[in-house]
Amino acid sequence: MKTNHCKIVDCTIRDGGLVNNWDFSIEFVQNLYAGLNEAGVDYMEIGYKNSPKLLKGADEVGPWRFLNDDFLRKVIPQKGNTKLSALVDIGRVDENDILPRSESMLDLIRVACYSKDVDKGLDLVQKFHDLGYETTLNIMALSNVMEHELLEAFEMINESVVDVVYIVDSYGSLDHNDMKHLVEKFKQHLPNKRLGVHTHNNMQLAFSNTLIAAELGVELLDASVYGMGRAAGNCPTELLVTHLKHSKYSLRPVLDIIERYMIPLREREEWGYIIPYMITGTLDEHPRSAMALRASDDKDKAVDFYDRLTTPETAITKSK
């Protein structure tokens, strides 16, 4: 398997923050950056660059939800080879908050949107490109996108300046055939664009789907240490680091992060392959209902949960 073209984007802070409300200490983030840099990981996504003015509850989350450039300079005074990335959502970012790349700690800004909003996503991409950043467009919930919508999106993307276009398995519902089909479709319709992949582990396929994408030429591979991410989590960074046939990656520093930080954190916070997330994955649904179940007293009542999702009349009867 040829993977010399691949680059790893570690999303532990950004996607993992969805698990613990971005409540990571500065020490944690500094040590994670140092470990990823030592391991040869190409990018660390250090959070969201959304604006606190445009989202409720900004004072209740950690600073990685609304990254501030002055704050970042204090957190990582000396950058290594690992580049820094941030994600923005359309409608949640104030463009005036984004400094030119020459004045910022960030190298890459990724824009997340649904297929119906690709035009708005590309407007943001253009602005970030003009400021000097590397850019990606992450098209979410691809398993739910109609063919004609995707073809319209491809036309706009082809004419845009975006560097990398992401295939995102938001619900963790894709298998190897789906991934192969999507990668081939993206390659066919976006012949001049580099591709990325972001997988979720609802059906324990995040790692294998990422490898399939890599084998087909996808370049940017999203992952997180110990798989930490929303609900079922992501492809584990440690698996990619050890599996990609690439001399520059080193497993030991990632194992050190897991041993010192992630195992104690996993005792306090829950993420990863758990049956309710498997159920939403097989049904190609957003995991919010499973997350709500896990936060309730009935968190392990999987049969009842499955019945509610698959037979609407069950839910009606029980609510009477």
Side-chain angles (χ1 to χ4, degrees):
M1 174 174 159
K2 288 187 179 173
T3 54
N4 287 344
H5 61 286
C6 294
K7 295 179 172 67
I8 299 173
V9 182
D10 182 87
C11 306
T12 308
I13 300 301
R14 200 270 309 163
D15 205 328
L18 291 156
V19 173
N20 69 344
N21 234 8
W22 299 276
D23 183 20
F24 298 105
S25 70
I26 289 173
E27 180 208 5
F28 177 97
V29 175
Q30 288 173 328
N31 280 286
L32 178 65
Y33 181 77
L36 292 173
N37 187 58
E38 194 185 337
V41 169
D42 305 87
Y43 294 85
M44 169 167 152
E45 190 147 85
I46 198 163
Y48 282 93
K49 192 76 178 93
N50 289 336
S51 168
K53 302 184 285 278
L54 300 174
L55 272 168
K56 288 179 185 166
D59 51 350
E60 295 161 18
V61 297
W64 321 102
R65 184 72 173 99
F66 304 102
L67 290 170
N68 172 290
D69 283 280
D70 293 334
F71 171 72
L72 270 186
R73 267 186 282 277
K74 289 174 191 155
V75 175
I76 300 180
Q78 192 63 48
K79 255 166 76 175
N81 292 324
T82 299
K83 293 179 175 180
L84 290 178
S85 155
L87 189 82
V88 301
D89 299 301
I90 57 165
R92 292 179 171 181
V93 58
D94 182 343
E95 297 142 35
N96 301 316
D97 290 346
I98 312 287
L99 294 174
R101 182 179 177 183
S102 57
E103 299 168 32
S104 170
M105 295 295 291
L106 299 171
D107 302 284
L108 165 67
I109 298 186
R110 312 203 297 169
V111 178
C113 67
Y114 292 101
S115 61
K116 64 182 174 52
D117 295 319
V118 159
D119 54 339
K120 295 177 189 148
L122 290 173
D123 285 346
L124 278 177
V125 161
Q126 181 71 54
K127 291 184 172 89
F128 300 143
H129 172 85
D130 293 345
L131 289 168
Y133 293 96
E134 298 173 40
T135 57
T136 81
L137 185 75
N138 296 28
I139 307 174
M140 299 185 289
L142 275 171
S143 57
N144 282 187
V145 176
M146 304 296 283
E147 182 83 6
H148 69 275
E149 259 183 62
L150 207 48
L151 294 177
E152 283 170 28
F154 287 149
E155 281 182 35
M156 290 184 270
I157 292 166
N158 262 324
E159 294 166 19
S160 77
V161 296
V162 73
D163 296 310
V164 180
V165 186
Y166 258 83
I167 296 163
V168 182
D169 181 17
S170 297
Y171 304 157
S173 59
L174 303 180
D175 68 13
H176 61 291
N177 289 321
D178 302 319
M179 184 57 70
K180 190 164 182 267
H181 172 71
L182 279 169
V183 172
E184 285 169 352
K185 185 182 288 190
F186 272 59
K187 283 170 75 173
Q188 177 193 343
H189 292 283
L190 302 171
N192 302 316
K193 296 296 183 191
R194 294 152 60 202
L195 298 180
V197 66
H198 181 95
T199 57
H200 281 266
N201 207 33
N202 298 62
M203 301 197 298
Q204 296 204 359
L205 294 174
F207 178 50
S208 62
N209 282 344
T210 301
L211 289 186
I212 285 159
E215 206 164 303
L216 293 170
V218 172
E219 184 179 332
L220 290 193
L221 312 178
D222 279 17
S224 60
V225 178
Y226 214 36
M228 186 183 188
R230 186 199 67 201
N234 305 111
C235 173
T237 301
E238 59 274 15
L239 286 178
L240 284 185
V241 162
T242 194
H243 194 83
L244 294 180
K245 300 297 179 251
H246 210 313
S247 59
K248 70 170 195 157
Y249 293 129
S250 166
L251 176 61
R252 194 176 186 281
V254 187
L255 293 179
D256 186 54
I257 294 163
I258 293 171
E259 186 178 313
R260 287 197 291 152
Y261 294 101
M262 303 309 290
I263 289 174
L265 180 56
R266 182 64 179 79
E267 287 171 4
R268 298 194 303 274
E269 305 286 353
E270 179 179 278
W271 70 83
Y273 174 78
I274 293 165
I275 293 300
Y277 299 142
M278 181 275 283
I279 292 169
T280 58
T282 54
L283 298 175
D284 191 16
E285 286 194 12
H286 193 289
R288 64 174 68 87
S289 57
M291 291 161 76
L293 179 75
R294 294 301 297 171
S296 75
D297 293 338
D298 295 330
K299 64 181 192 172
D300 292 312
K301 294 195 171 171
V303 175
D304 179 59
F305 178 65
Y306 178 76
D307 288 345
R308 275 190 287 133
L309 291 187
T310 53
T311 47
E313 59 274 16
T314 309
I316 295 164
T317 316
K318 292 205 170 178
S319 64
K320 282 183 180 173

